[in-house]
Amino acid sequence: MTKTLVIEAPAKINLMLDIKEKRSDGYHELETIMHQIDLVDRIYIKKDSRISVNSNSQEIPNDSSNLAYKAAQLILQTYGCGEGADIFIEKNIPVGAGLAGGSTDAAAVLKGINILYNYDISHENLAHISARIGSDVPFCLQGNPRIMMDEALEKESLKAKNKNGITGATCVARGRGELLTPLQTRFMPWILLVKPDFQLSTAEVYGKFKMENVHIIPDLNAFIKAWEIYDIIELSHYCENVLETVSAILYPEIMQIKENLEALGAVKATMSGSGPAVFGIFSQPEDALKAQQVMKQSYSETYLVSSYGRGD
Ligand code: C5P
């Protein structure tokens, strides 16, 4: 029987995003806080003689333009001896939303193939490969996602893999996004995510960014201080994203969603990454539940989520 490894691939939100400068290589020098949430894709991986990618979504490609395919190609070419992988993506994370859906699938494929083929590649070497796939992939490699295997025999060794608990990551990311400083694990229970009915291209949003349009400069140090003392209300005040100066101007609906979430009781609502997904942080469960009901009427892609993993 062919074993199937199943690994969760959590989405991320950018709790804060600042751009320091445009670099000579065309990328933007970032200072951002990335945080994994419990909106997950599930990646099913089987050993095979060639690489194939399939999914339950019409919105993602099945060829080498899929980051999961690229990840499989890179790891198998570098560490394999001609083997392949049969990959199925159960897509739950909205596509083109600023939630790193493609990047997290790629990171899960790297982790999954490493386990399935017993390559024993160090985290450092996986991180090196991940940076070649995309700027968000190194972050997505952080944390300990849930991993399952469909054969009883493997259960014991997987228990070992999951032994540190299922934990999500939070990091300060600098450089292109690949230079990571992990922050302490903090659990935010009430995050309402709203994705309007359009997608944005990351390259286009960054391409239109102009420093002179930024009027609120995110305060990383104040955010980290509030994070360390676990003051969710205080840290929410520092959730700012300078890319809103592009995306929310192109699509005023983004600003409208932010205003709606805050009117419904969010301590703060901010766009994630290059957008258009917006998250609202709530301190009161009843506000979050009510806001979910209201936003769902206008936006089918409304998700009430929390931070990924509680160490369980
Ligand atoms: O690295 P990745 O391929 O995910 O980035 C997509 C695009 O987003 C890049 O081609 C670039 O235009 C833009 N980008 C950027 N600065 C970053 C990350 C991404 O300009 N730090």
Side-chain angles (χ1 to χ4, degrees):
M1 191 181 90
T2 317
K3 287 179 280 188
T4 304
L5 179 138
V6 189
I7 178 165
E8 287 186 345
K12 63 88 180 142
I13 52 175
N14 298 80
L15 292 171
M16 191 222 89
L17 191 152
D18 193 16
I19 292 176
K20 294 297 174 193
E21 59 172 1
K22 181 159 185 199
R23 309 189 331 187
S24 53
D25 63 2
Y27 281 91
H28 292 75
E29 190 68 22
L30 296 182
E31 199 166 73
T32 181
I33 307 268
M34 303 209 220
H35 180 72
Q36 286 178 322
I37 55 174
D38 69 351
L39 176 61
V40 302
D41 289 345
R42 276 185 200 85
I43 315 294
Y44 296 73
I45 311 173
K46 279 192 271 202
K47 288 183 184 175
D48 204 351
S49 53
R50 60 183 199 96
I51 300 172
S52 60
V53 172
N54 290 290
S55 79
N56 62 345
S57 166
Q58 307 285 329
E59 292 183 89
I60 57 171
N62 287 341
D63 59 17
S64 60
S65 62
N66 189 315
L67 296 186
Y69 196 111
K70 261 187 209 164
Q73 260 179 335
L74 270 175
I75 190 171
L76 290 166
Q77 272 165 13
T78 315
Y79 293 94
C81 299
E83 49 267 33
D86 171 342
I87 297 166
F88 181 83
I89 301 172
E90 179 197 308
K91 184 50 75 192
N92 302 305
I93 304 170
V95 176
L99 301 169
S103 301
T104 192
D105 294 350
V109 164
L110 293 180
K111 276 191 177 164
I113 288 181
N114 189 25
I115 295 168
L116 202 58
Y117 279 116
N118 286 313
Y119 286 154
D120 215 12
I121 308 165
S122 68
H123 181 80
E124 195 188 352
N125 286 335
L126 281 183
H128 188 70
I129 297 183
S130 71
R132 293 172 58 193
I133 303 168
S135 303
D136 286 344
V137 187
F139 170 73
C140 295
L141 210 54
Q142 304 286 311
N144 295 306
R146 184 168 284 104
I147 303 171
M148 293 153 282
M149 194 94 89
D150 65 358
E151 219 177 57
L153 194 64
E154 300 292 335
K155 292 242 163 80
E156 287 308 309
S157 72
L158 280 172
K159 244 190 224 162
K161 297 260 180 296
N162 286 331
K163 75 177 182 302
N164 296 327
I166 313 299
T167 50
T170 308
C171 290
V172 182
R174 296 190 173 85
R176 275 196 301 138
E178 83 286 22
L179 305 176
L180 301 169
T181 309
L183 296 182
Q184 277 168 286
T185 304
R186 298 286 181 235
F187 191 81
M188 296 203 281
W190 305 103
I191 303 169
L192 189 61
L193 197 61
V194 179
K195 152 77 174 45
D197 198 16
F198 57 88
Q199 300 182 8
L200 280 172
S201 142
T202 307
E204 190 188 338
V205 172
Y206 275 103
K208 292 190 166 142
F209 175 77
K210 288 199 172 63
M211 206 66 90
E212 60 267 28
N213 292 338
V214 174
H215 301 299
I216 302 172
I217 298 169
D219 189 339
L220 178 73
N221 290 332
F223 178 95
I224 292 176
K225 251 188 209 159
W227 185 263
E228 276 167 1
I229 59 169
Y230 213 162
D231 186 335
I232 292 179
I233 295 179
E234 174 73 5
L235 74 87
S236 300
H237 294 309
Y238 301 110
C239 293
E240 300 286 350
N241 181 347
V242 300
L243 287 176
E244 286 177 11
T245 60
V246 180
S247 307
I249 298 300
L250 286 174
Y251 291 93
E253 195 177 351
I254 293 173
M255 203 46 83
Q256 194 59 55
I257 294 171
K258 278 172 52 116
E259 283 167 14
N260 289 348
L261 285 170
E262 288 178 3
L264 289 162
V267 186
K268 185 70 180 263
T270 307
M271 186 179 81
S272 179
S274 51
V278 172
F279 61 91
I281 298 175
F282 287 79
S283 59
Q284 303 301 321
E286 55 278 15
D287 289 345
L289 289 162
K290 179 86 207 329
Q292 179 192 25
Q293 276 178 5
V294 174
M295 296 306 287
K296 193 97 197 164
Q297 288 166 14
S298 310
Y299 297 100
S300 59
E301 291 180 279
T302 295
Y303 308 87
L304 187 56
V305 300
S306 41
S307 304
Y308 183 74
R310 293 199 78 143
D312 54 343

